[in-house]
Structure formats: C-alpha cells, structure tokens
C-alpha cells in the first residue's frame, strides 16, 4: 500500500496568546511513499516528524492537505477505520491484560463482516507472537516483561490485524544500546517478511540510516531532503542536512572562493569548478546554488582529513584520542564554526602528528560547499591543488 | 591489640533488645485493640442480656451469666425489621450502582474529554465540597418534598447518586493513565466508551472497588436523610427503623432489643469489610500517592 501525502500542513495556535501567528508543525509535506518500503522520518525534536506520523495515523487532523492510502482518501477517517498499526515510544501496552489479550485486543474491536471467532483470534495472535518470538510469554502481564519483550508485544499488537500501514514512533529510544541494535534488525526483518509499508520516526540518525529504504530529513516542519540513506550522508542538499547526519558531526568553516580556489583563512585548500552536469533551475536538477566567487560555508566530513606534513590546511593540535577502532584528532582553526575541529584518521597516519600544529590535506570526496546566506549546497567538483 | 570481638554476646544482646521491643509493641497493640473492640463487646453483651436483667443493673455488669436470644426475637417482632432490611438493601444497591455510573461518566468527561468551560465547571464542582452536608440537606428536602417524592425509594435515592469527592478521586485516577494508551486504543479501533469500559475501568479497578465499598457503608449507615424524607414505616431503613424499637416498644426503651438489631445490621458490613479490607486500603493509598 503506497502512502501519498499531498501538501500536508499542520498548524497549531500559539501557546502564547499574545502571538497571533500559528505554530506550523508541518509545512506543505509532499511525498509518495512507495509500497512495501521502510521510511525513516529523521529530524531533531520538535521538527514535526511525530506530528506527521500522527496525521498518517489519524490521531491528528491536518490543517490542510490530503493523505491517501493507495487510492483511498483517508484524510477524514478516524484511526480505527484506517487500518493502521502503531507502535508507541512507551509501547502503550494495556497493563491489566496479559500478553495474549493485548495482542488480541485490536481484533476484538473488529465489527461487521470482519468480526472474528475467539479461536481465529487466538490463532492469529499466536502467529503474530511467534513472528516476534514471544510465544513463550503469552500468559504474562506487561509488567512482568523486560523492555525488549514489551516492545515485541507492541509490534505484535500492531501487526496482528494485518495493517495497511505500520507506524513506529521512536520505538527504540527506551531500550538499552545492545537491545536497540538487536531490535532494529528485528524490525527490519519483520518488515521484510510482512512487506507492510512502514514509517519509522526517530531522532537517531544511525537508527534511520541502518534500517530505512528512504530517509526523510525534516527541520522546523519542512522536509529538507528525501533520499537513500547513504545519499543523504554523501550528497547533502543543504548545510542543515550535512550538519545533522554523521557522528562526529561535519566540520564547518567560513571561507571563500577566489578564482576557482577554495580558501579557509589564508590557506588555499582545494580547486573547485562548476559541475557541468548540473544546471541551475533545470527541471530534473537537484536543488542547489551555482559556484561563484565570494564568501562560502565549507563543510568537511571528519574522515575527509589526511594529516600530512605539507597539507594545505594548518591547524593547532589539541589532542589525539584513540577510541578503539577509531582515532580522532582534535585541532583548532580560527575559521572553524566553533574554533575546533574533530577528524577521524587511520591509525597508521598518526606518525605524522606531533608538536603544536598539524597540517591536513582535504579529500575531494568529503568536502562540500554551501551558499553563505541560504545554506544551499553549491554544486561543484573538486580537484586537489597538487 | 585485642581484635577478638565477642560476637555471641552481641548477638544475645540484640536478641534481648529485639524481644523487649516486641513485648512493648504487643502490649500497646493489645491495649489499643481492647479500646477499639470494647464497644463491639458491649453491644453484643447488651444484646444477650434479658430486658429485666438489663434494667435491674444499677451498675452495668461486664458480663452476663444468663444469656438470652429473646432480644433478637423481639427486635424482629416489635418492628418490621425484615422490611427495613430489605429497604436498606434496595436503597444501598441502587444508590451505589447509580452513583458508580454517574461518577465514572463524570470523571471520564473531566479527565478525557475537551469541552468549553471544563476547568470552571470542575472548580465549581470542587467548591461544592466546601458546603456542609447539613446545608444541602435543607435544599434537598425542599426540592424532594415539592416534587412529591417523600416516602418513596426515588426520594431516598436521588440525592445520593452523585458524589463530588468520588468524581474528583476517579478523575485523578483516570488522569494517571498515560495519553498514549488512549491513542493506542484508538488505533486498535475502540470508541471512547469502549476505551472507558475495557481499559480505564479495569486499570482503575482498585479505586472503583474502594469507592463502591465506601458508598455501601455510607448508604447502610445513612440516618439523617432517610429520617427526614420518610415517615411511612414501609420506607424506613434499618438506621431509622431501630429508633422505632426505642420509641414504639415498651413503656421504657428496650435497649437490649435495640442492641440486638444493631448487631444484626452490623454483621453484613463487618463481613464486607473483612472480605475487602485489603482492596479498600489499596485503593485509598493508590488514590493518595499521586506524585
């Protein structure tokens, strides 16, 4: 079942009654979620991702815009008639019912021709329980289960009436790190097995990257970018997306472009030339800005730095941190956004690093330019200076 | 340095302390139990003393050597006690059931629904708790009398089918149920009423039981209202019916027969309390520990 969101907008009246202007939680969201895919809605808290999910679910009514499941307009349907399954952040299991009764609950409320016999309900519930591997726990109460088990019950309950759409609202944030990893693979497996179109809300980029088919990055109610996970990381559409994805985060510098050379302070870093395959304003072109001389915001991923004696970017060395697999160099640069930068380097390259300063070469594939004013990506290609 | 501690001596000492503490505790508890249970003993004792023996005791005696069941017989024959019993039963059951329905629905509305003026209405409700019962009784009496409902079950029952305090208690309880459970139930296809019935009420069951039992006790013991609103024996409850023994009996009030009647009407409540006392305490403490 594909989901179509058409100009979806949600406004709330401002809490502060003196301000007449509404708060726009979701602004003009247009998207067609392909059938059977797992979509990650990613963004900082308060960006409107949960509101979007609640609107798809029917718990909140959009101020304007439409929602379609397949060809059905469901905008005005209450949640109970939409055929959605939802897993809440706190699982929202019914504390007075056993696991089996919890899973059977959605089926007990079916009316008319969908009404099921007790035996059929039980069989279906047991099948769902087996899928999430809790068939040993059917007689327990939710309070007697661990967090991960409760989570599975919630998923089984959401899946048992074979929903057209499965919605997950930060389902992993109450689990510990190890369980989170395990459960997210589980969710992926179950989603593949059932083939149900799934929307997954999270503020954890790693979670979204690891299991989504497509990631929707949102900020302040506006969709920033919709793309495959790796593409969102490698080809960010603007400075917000670039900053939001990646740990450690991207290093941002204020620099400028002069005669096709990118400068950070006095250091010439890299050559930049307009991307010949990209035309500003062309209908199929990715949004962005054209390369021009003048001030520019530069983003360099932590792994884009090569420490080298004659590297172009000069920085003061603060610390070298070895953290198991990774080694990171913390350095200072007057033009970096908060004065310091963090890089991830190969341990072999560490020999180069000692003393008060460190020089880096910048890898052309890991540097991005953004428009100084709008933050839009500047479309260009890079070649090393030497 | 001698580090050999005599552990056995310490243990003995602590055991002795423990025993002394226990003895003191039990002595105090026993003393308290005697104070609490003495009225019950006095009631039962008086109910088995014969009318003449009771009246001839200048100083009431703490025991009797010739117990009699005659008083119990008198209690049922001097006045239609069975009838009063039945009335009380009808009054209690109907009032409690109606009150549960009313308070649950009202509490649900205050806790869950959104409607204009909700907060003001609730504040008004709460302020009703400030008005003493006696004041309300006067207006209720006028209302019920004008409606021609004196000497009827409906007149007895109507004023007590709601309780601001229980609405407040239930509302607080309902509000502790997380919002997400409501959303989940919506997604699972329940209506508001079904959610109330299948999720909220079962979760708040301890409080519901407590309220029901407290209401039963209140109804069973109610005296002023039934006394005011009924003067037809056919509608007397046990509470004001017992007064009839005193007034209609023999030349002098028949205290032992009254006591026998009191024993009979107390037994159901005591049994009820013994069965449910754990639940009552659970509900009260649950209602009281809102963070």
């Amino acid at each position: 079942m594909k989901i179509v969101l058409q100009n979806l907008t949600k406004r709330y009246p401002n809490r502060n009654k003196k301000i007449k202007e509404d708060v726009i939680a979701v602004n003009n969201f247009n998207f067609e979620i392909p059938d059977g895919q797992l979509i990650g809605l990613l963004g900082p808290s308060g960006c409107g991702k949960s509101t979007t999910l609640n609107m798809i679910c029917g718990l909140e009514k959009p101020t304007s815009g439409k929602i379609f499941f397949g060809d059905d307009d469901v905008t005005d349907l209450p949640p109970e008639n939409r055929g959605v399954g939802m897993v809440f952040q706190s699982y929202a299991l019914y504390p007075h019912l056993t696991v089996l009764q919890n899973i059977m609950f959605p089926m007990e409320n079916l009316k008319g021709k969908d009404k099921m016999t007790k035996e059929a309900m039980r069989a279906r519930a047991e099948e769902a329980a087996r899928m999430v591997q809790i068939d040993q726990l059917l007689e327990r109460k939710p309070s007697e289960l661990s967090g991960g088990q409760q989570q599975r019950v919630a998923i089984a309950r959401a899946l048992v009436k074979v929903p057209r759409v499965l919605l997950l609202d930060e389902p992993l944030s109450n689990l510990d790190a190890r369980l989170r990893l395990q459960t997210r693979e589980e969710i992926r497996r179950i989603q593949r097995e059932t083939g149900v179109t799934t929307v997954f809300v999270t503020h954890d980029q790693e979670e979204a990257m690891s299991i989504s088919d497509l990631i929707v990055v949102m900020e302040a109610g506006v969709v920033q970018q919709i793309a495959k996970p790796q593409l969102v990381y490698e080809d960010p559409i603007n400075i917000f997306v670039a900053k939001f994805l990646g740990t450690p985060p991207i290093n941002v510098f204020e620099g400028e472009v002069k005669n096709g050379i990118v400068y950070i302070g006095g250091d010439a870093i890299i050559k930049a030339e307009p991307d010949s395959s990209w035309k500003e304003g062309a209908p199929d072109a990715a949004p962005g800005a054209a390369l021009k001389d003048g001030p520019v915001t530069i983003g360099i991923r932590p792994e884009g730095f090569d420490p080298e004696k004659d590297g172009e970017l000069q920085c003061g060395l603060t610390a070298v941190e070895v953290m198991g697999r990774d080694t990171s160099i913390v350095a200072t640069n007057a033009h970096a956004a908060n004065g310091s930068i963090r890089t991830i380097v190969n341990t072999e390259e560490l020999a180069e690093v000692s003393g008060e300063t460190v020089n880096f070469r910048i890898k052309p594939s890991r540097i991005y330019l953004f428009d100084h004013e709008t933050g839009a990506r500047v479309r260009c290609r890079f070649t090393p200076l030497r | 340095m001698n580090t050999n501690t005599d552990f056995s001596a310490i243990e003995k000492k602590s055991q002795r302390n423990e025993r002394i503490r226990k003895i003191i505790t039990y002595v105090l508890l026993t003393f308290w139990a005697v104070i609490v249970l003495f009225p019950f003993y006095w009631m039962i004792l008086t109910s088995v003393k014969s009318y003449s023996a009771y009246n001839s005791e200048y100083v009431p005696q703490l025991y009797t050597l010739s117990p009699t069941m005659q008083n119990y017989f008198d209690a049922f024959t001097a006045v239609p006690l069975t009838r009063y019993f039945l009335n009380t039963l009808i009054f209690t059951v109907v009032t409690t059931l109606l009150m549960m329905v009313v308070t649950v629905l009202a509490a649900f509305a205050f806790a869950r629904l959104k409607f204009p003026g909700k907060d003001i209405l609730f504040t008004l409700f709460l302020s009703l708790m400030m008005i003493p019962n006696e004041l309300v009784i006067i207006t209720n009496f006028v209302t019920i009398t004008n409606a021609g409902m004196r000497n009827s079950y409906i007149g007895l029952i109507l004023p007590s089918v709601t309780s601001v305090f229980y609405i407040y208690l239930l509302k607080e309880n309902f509000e502790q149920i997380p919002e997400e459970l409501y959303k989940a139930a919506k997604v699972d296809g329940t209506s508001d009423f079904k959610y109330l019935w299948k999720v909220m009420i079962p979760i708040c069951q301890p409080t519901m039981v407590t309220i029901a039992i407290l209401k039963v006790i209140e109804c069973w013991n109610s005296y002023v209202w039934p006394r005011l609103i009924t003067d037809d024996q056919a509608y007397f409850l046990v509470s004001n019916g017992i007064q009839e023994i005193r007034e209609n009996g023999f030349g002098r009030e028949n205290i032992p027969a009254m006591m026998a009647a009191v024993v009979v009407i107390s037994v159901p409540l005591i049994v009820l309390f013994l069965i449910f006392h754990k639940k009552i305490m659970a509900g009260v403490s649950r209602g009281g520990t809102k963070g």
Side-chain angles (χ1 to χ4, degrees), chain A residues 31-324:
Chain A
F31 185 34
E32 183 173 327
I33 301 172
D35 181 30
Q37 300 246 304
L38 200 161
I39 307 297
L41 276 183
L42 181 62
S45 35
C47 74
K49 53 193 192 308
S50 285
T51 310
T52 306
L53 197 76
N54 283 344
M55 285 195 284
I56 298 175
C57 179
L59 292 169
E60 284 182 55
K61 267 213 155 72
T63 313
S64 64
K66 288 200 174 308
I67 302 166
F68 295 90
F69 287 179
D71 296 325
D72 307 341
D73 182 351
V74 298
T75 316
D76 294 320
L77 281 184
E80 58 264 38
N81 299 337
R82 287 196 185 191
V84 293
M86 184 143 170
V87 176
F88 293 87
Q89 186 173 356
S90 65
Y91 318 139
L93 299 177
Y94 307 114
H96 59 294
L97 301 178
T98 64
V99 169
L100 182 68
Q101 287 167 328
N102 260 289
I103 301 176
M104 279 165 65
F105 193 82
M107 293 185 283
E108 284 169 5
N109 297 315
L110 293 174
K111 278 182 226 123
K113 63 177 169 50
D114 300 327
K115 216 171 167 74
M116 297 168 74
T117 63
K118 261 243 141 64
E119 292 73 40
M121 283 196 277
R122 206 189 154 94
R124 273 264 281 283
E126 279 171 354
E127 189 189 319
R130 258 196 303 282
M131 184 187 288
V132 296
Q133 295 163 0
I134 44 159
D135 42 337
Q136 308 298 317
L137 311 168
L138 289 177
E139 297 311 318
R140 298 230 196 136
K141 288 275 177 69
S143 56
E144 298 162 343
L145 300 178
S146 70
Q149 288 166 336
Q150 290 185 23
Q151 174 68 276
R152 285 153 192 259
V153 178
I155 294 173
R157 187 180 65 183
L159 285 173
V160 74
K161 58 177 182 181
V162 194
R164 302 199 279 180
V165 174
L166 179 62
L167 305 168
L168 306 162
D169 189 1
E170 309 219 7
L172 305 178
S173 48
N174 285 351
L175 301 178
D176 64 57
R178 181 184 292 250
L179 208 53
R180 199 177 302 170
L181 225 72
Q182 193 188 337
T183 313
R184 90 184 178 207
E185 278 154 25
E186 201 94 317
I187 289 175
R188 187 65 177 139
R189 173 183 67 81
I190 293 164
Q191 195 269 335
R192 286 232 170 89
E193 269 175 35
T194 56
V196 58
T197 311
T198 303
V199 182
F200 182 105
V201 161
T202 180
H203 59 255
D204 182 334
Q205 41 161 315
E206 197 186 318
E207 225 167 86
M209 299 275 270
S210 63
I211 69 170
S212 311
D213 293 315
L214 280 176
I215 285 186
V216 178
V217 184
M218 292 183 78
E219 150 77 347
V222 181
V223 175
Q224 305 289 320
Q225 186 168 11
I226 303 177
K228 290 213 160 65
Q230 200 52 34
L231 224 59
V232 181
Y233 182 75
E234 285 176 353
D235 192 15
I237 209 163
N238 58 27
I239 185 82
F240 171 80
V241 177
K243 272 182 179 167
F244 191 69
L245 283 124
T247 33
I250 196 163
N251 299 292
V252 180
F253 301 87
E254 290 306 327
E256 68 177 322
V257 179
K258 243 188 306 191
N259 301 326
I261 312 269
V262 180
Y263 289 89
I264 294 176
D267 301 339
I269 302 300
I270 207 161
K271 256 190 249 173
E273 53 188 337
D275 187 343
S276 54
S277 67
W278 183 83
K279 269 205 183 69
E280 191 170 11
D284 56 339
L291 182 68
K292 59 179 192 288
D293 282 5
V296 72
T297 305
I298 303 162
I300 307 172
R301 292 276 179 212
E303 65 273 25
F305 295 85
D306 261 339
E308 247 178 54
K309 278 221 169 61
D310 52 354
E312 293 88 355
L313 181 63
Q314 294 185 345
C315 299
L317 180 63
T318 309
V320 178
E321 295 173 1
V322 183
M323 298 168 294

